[in-house]
């Protein structure tokens, strides 16, 4: 490893960070007290921090670095594009080659009639676009009253007012993000936490049928779309029962409701197909994309839109867009990223090789006394921590306390594994090797065990 010579001491960086840098989803006082972990470089699936520690990144940054860190091809592409055309807009009847080539490439990769791309700078922005698109579409169809979009509790669709409203995170709504008009939430298909005595299949069906009940209650003439992540990510990697999505598709078809698949996490190979929609067998009218589109090397998001929607709104200005819609550097990097995913057959690799390999290793964690379930799909893994396996009980103490302790143990042991409440989740880069998966699972086991021993000693292994 190259010695870190050109950096300020960690303590000084931490002090400046706490003094001036406002972090997303972070308590500033806690950050100031503890000091941020400062990541200085990365390669493959490994991060290096300012103290020279090496950490296995089980989260692909934030679910995005699909092709892994340190890909010279992307750096060269960005440099070339910045030299040639660093910026031009796509408003007012202008275009440029990277945006043209990328939209054509995405149309080729996306299934069925999804042949049009509206670019944004992030997943949140893209979901804001989707709200506008859906309502504009129905107005054009002569049905402006179909303005309601139904989404799910504990779904995540971003942090703007629109994205936060679509999302079902009440702790976000409670901080200056009251749900905007005409968004309606139904329950999530989270069998482990909410399924009670039902079988997963019965429960999946029941949760999907809440969509039908909501449409009938709100009025068929009022509901324009349903949005969901094929597999919920930020909510805790919730893999729905197999009965859920087919029933949602049936209901959307029956009542002429547009289906929006939020593919920000599931897209670009994560589930072993190009899109999570293909894995769960749905035919969305719109897909939200971001993250893996550029492997996070530069920011970019977008909406992939069906022929029917694009053609319906084609005879008028769509009064919407962002300065950076289709940004040439982001578009060029995205294209190169997609070329790599395709050439290195990373989607097939997840489906046929590392996905099944992770599944086999990951499920061994369920043997641990504090793990209630351990599941994975493609390269998304989730496990539930519990004080009592048989009853799937929660901990009596504060929700998330054991999860947080476990995450801290992971960090100390050299693994990034996130916690959502008392669920632990991973989503490593698609290029992860078998040996790195072995290491990931070994570190996860060690960390869970340390957290378990400490929780037992502190009398916290008590069911609610
Ligand atoms: N949709 C989904 C499904 C997401 O996961 C967004 C939209 C918003 O994308 P942007 O690019 O605006 O962040 C996301 C983002 C977490 C976490 O804690 C997850 C996300 C973002 C930040 C944190 O797991 N997902």
């Amino acid at each position: 490893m190259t010695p870190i010579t050109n950096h300020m001491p960690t303590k000084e960086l931490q002090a400046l960070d706490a003094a001036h840098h406002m972090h997303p989803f972070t308590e500033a006082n806690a950050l100031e007290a503890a000091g941020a972990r400062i990541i200085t470089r990365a390669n493959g699936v490994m991060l290096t921090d300012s103290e020279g520690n090496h950490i296995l990144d089980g989260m692909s940054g934030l679910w995005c670095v699909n092709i892994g860190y340190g890909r010279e091809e992307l750096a060269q592409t960005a440099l070339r594009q910045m030299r040639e055309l660093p910026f031009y807009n796509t408003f007012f009847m202008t275009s440029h080659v990277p945006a043209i080539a990328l939209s054509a490439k995405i149309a080729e990769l996306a299934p069925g009639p999804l042949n049009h791309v509206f670019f944004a700078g992030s997943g949140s922005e893209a979901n804001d676009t989707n709200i506008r698109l859906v309502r504009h579409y129905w107005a054009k169809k002569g049905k402006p009253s179909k303005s309601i979009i139904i989404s799910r509790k504990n779904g995540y669709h971003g942090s703007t007012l629109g994205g936060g409203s679509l999302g079902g995170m009440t702790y976000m709504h409670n901080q200056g993000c009251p749900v905007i008009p005409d968004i309606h939430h139904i329950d999530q298909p989270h069998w482990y936490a909410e399924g009670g005595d039902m079988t997963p299949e019965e429960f999946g069906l029941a949760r999907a049928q809440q969509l039908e009940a909501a449409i009938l209650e709100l009025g068929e003439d009022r509901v324009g779309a349903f949005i969901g992540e094929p597999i919920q990510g930020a909510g805790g990697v919730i893999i729905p029962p197999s009965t859920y999505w087919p029933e949602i598709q049936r209901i959307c078809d029956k009542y002429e409701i547009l289906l929006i698949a939020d593919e920000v996490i599931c897209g670009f190979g994560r589930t072993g197909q190009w899109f999570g929609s293909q894995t769960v067998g749905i035919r969305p009218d719109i897909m939200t994309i971001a993250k893996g589109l550029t492997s996070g090397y530069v920011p970019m998001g977008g909406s992939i839109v069906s022929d029917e929607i694009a053609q319906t709104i084609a005879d008028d200005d769509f009064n919407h867009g962002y300065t950076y819609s289709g940004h040439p550097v982001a578009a060029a990097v995205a294209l190169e990223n997609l070329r790599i995913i395709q050439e290195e057959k990373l989607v097939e690799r997840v489906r046929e090789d590392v996905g099944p390999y992770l599944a086999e290793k990951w499920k061994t964690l369920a043997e641990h006394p504090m793990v209630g379930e351990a599941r994975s799909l493609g390269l998304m893994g989730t496990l539930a921590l519990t004080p009592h396996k048989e009853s799937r009980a929660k901990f009596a103490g504060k929700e998330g306390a054991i999860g947080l302790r476990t995450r801290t143990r992971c960090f100390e042991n050299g693994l990034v594994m996130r916690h959502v409440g008392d669920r632990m989740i991973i989503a490593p880069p698609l290029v992860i090797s078998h040996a790195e998966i072995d290491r990931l699972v070994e570190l996860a086991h060690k960390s869970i065990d340390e957290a378990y021993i400490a929780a037992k000693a502190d009398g916290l292994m008590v069911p609610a």
Side-chain angles (χ1 to χ4, degrees):
M1 193 210 114
T2 44
I4 296 167
T5 49
N6 289 332
H7 290 285
M8 294 166 79
T10 302
K11 285 262 177 277
E12 280 177 42
L13 287 168
Q14 287 172 329
L16 281 172
D17 183 61
H20 303 294
H21 179 192
M22 297 178 80
H23 289 246
F25 290 86
T26 300
E27 182 196 321
N29 289 338
L31 183 83
E32 186 172 9
R37 183 179 288 257
I38 296 164
I39 306 301
T40 50
R41 47 200 321 122
N43 195 38
V45 302
M46 296 302 294
L47 308 168
T48 305
D49 72 11
S50 56
E51 296 291 289
N53 296 307
H54 296 294
I55 309 156
L56 199 165
D57 185 4
M59 283 307 298
S60 305
L62 204 48
W63 319 84
C64 51
V65 188
N66 286 14
I67 64 168
Y69 298 94
R71 300 299 298 243
E72 183 61 22
E73 305 95 311
L74 266 55
Q76 289 300 336
T77 299
L79 179 66
R80 211 178 313 123
Q81 186 59 46
M82 279 193 188
R83 284 187 167 143
E84 196 169 300
L85 181 72
F87 179 76
Y88 200 72
N89 73 72
T90 54
F91 290 47
F92 319 130
M93 312 285 279
T94 61
S95 199
H96 49 67
V97 176
I100 296 167
L102 180 60
S103 53
K105 183 71 199 176
I106 292 171
E108 177 197 311
L109 294 173
L114 296 171
N115 289 315
H116 311 265
V117 190
F118 194 102
F119 288 110
S122 67
S124 300
E125 284 181 8
N127 277 326
D128 281 28
T129 296
N130 292 340
I131 296 172
R132 299 278 309 272
L133 264 176
V134 163
R135 292 176 178 169
H136 184 47
Y137 166 80
W138 284 117
K140 281 288 198 181
K141 296 288 270 188
K143 297 180 179 174
S145 65
K146 279 173 83 73
S147 56
I148 295 179
I149 302 176
I150 298 178
S151 63
R152 284 115 37 108
K153 295 175 189 165
N154 198 38
Y156 189 82
H157 300 294
S159 196
T160 50
L161 287 172
S165 292
L166 288 174
M169 306 294 188
T170 45
Y171 57 88
M172 291 173 69
H173 302 156
N174 292 339
Q175 290 182 338
C177 187
V179 175
I180 60 173
D182 288 354
I183 306 281
H184 181 87
H185 295 96
I186 59 175
D187 288 320
Q188 59 177 335
H190 189 354
W191 174 80
Y192 181 88
E194 301 173 7
D197 294 333
M198 286 186 179
T199 65
E201 290 71 27
E202 288 166 353
F203 178 74
L205 217 49
R207 283 291 155 100
Q209 283 162 359
Q210 280 195 9
L211 175 61
E212 190 157 29
I215 293 166
L216 295 174
E217 183 199 321
L218 297 162
E220 208 178 319
D221 58 333
R222 289 284 286 119
V223 181
F226 173 78
I227 183 168
E229 304 149 79
I231 315 284
Q232 286 156 262
V237 181
I238 315 299
I239 304 168
S242 60
T243 46
Y244 181 77
W245 277 112
E247 184 67 359
I248 292 282
Q249 181 73 63
R250 181 192 70 77
I251 295 164
C252 288
D253 291 345
K254 179 171 175 191
Y255 296 98
E256 270 199 82
I257 307 294
L258 297 176
L259 177 55
I260 309 172
D262 188 334
E263 297 273 0
V264 167
I265 285 176
C266 294
F268 306 103
R270 177 64 53 201
T271 70
Q273 298 280 350
W274 275 94
F275 298 96
S277 296
Q278 296 161 314
T279 299
V280 301
I282 51 173
R283 293 172 277 101
D285 301 286
I286 299 176
M287 281 181 181
T288 321
I289 53 172
K291 294 190 189 275
L293 170 62
T294 58
S295 280
Y297 278 60
V298 289
M300 183 175 239
S303 305
I304 321 181
V305 178
S306 71
D307 294 330
E308 155 69 13
I309 296 173
Q311 281 154 16
T312 300
I313 66 167
D315 67 346
D316 206 351
D317 281 356
F318 180 35
N319 298 316
H320 174 71
Y322 311 102
T323 300
Y324 300 132
S325 286
H327 192 286
V329 177
V333 169
L335 260 179
E336 182 64 4
N337 173 59
L338 297 180
R339 185 191 67 74
I340 289 173
I341 294 177
Q342 211 157 20
E343 242 175 60
E344 297 185 3
K345 296 193 173 11
L346 295 181
V347 181
E348 295 84 345
R349 183 169 191 272
V350 172
R351 184 169 66 242
E352 290 155 18
D353 177 7
V354 281
Y357 188 78
L358 175 71
E360 190 190 309
K361 301 284 161 178
W362 189 253
K363 72 173 185 234
T364 63
L365 294 171
E367 290 157 23
H368 190 277
M370 192 165 71
V371 176
E373 71 162 357
R375 302 180 67 194
S376 71
L377 194 149
L379 283 187
M380 300 170 91
T382 177
L383 50 86
L385 302 178
T386 176
H388 189 249
K389 286 163 93 92
E390 290 69 30
S391 62
R392 316 200 302 265
K394 293 183 172 188
F395 293 93
K398 186 168 180 266
E399 184 167 5
I402 306 295
L404 177 61
R405 282 174 170 225
T406 306
R407 190 200 64 174
T408 306
R409 292 314 315 144
C410 288
F411 242 149
E412 295 305 316
N413 289 325
L415 171 67
V416 178
M417 170 156 78
R418 246 169 61 49
H419 81 113
V420 175
D422 293 308
R423 290 190 86 78
M424 307 306 299
I425 58 178
I426 52 149
L430 312 188
V431 293
I432 193 169
S433 69
H434 287 209
E436 287 161 343
I437 289 175
D438 291 346
R439 182 85 184 129
L440 186 160
V441 174
E442 186 189 313
L443 291 174
H445 187 273
K446 177 171 190 275
S447 307
I448 292 164
D449 207 44
E450 289 169 2
Y452 169 63
I453 289 164
K456 253 198 328 198
D458 294 344
L460 297 174
M461 288 298 292
V462 182

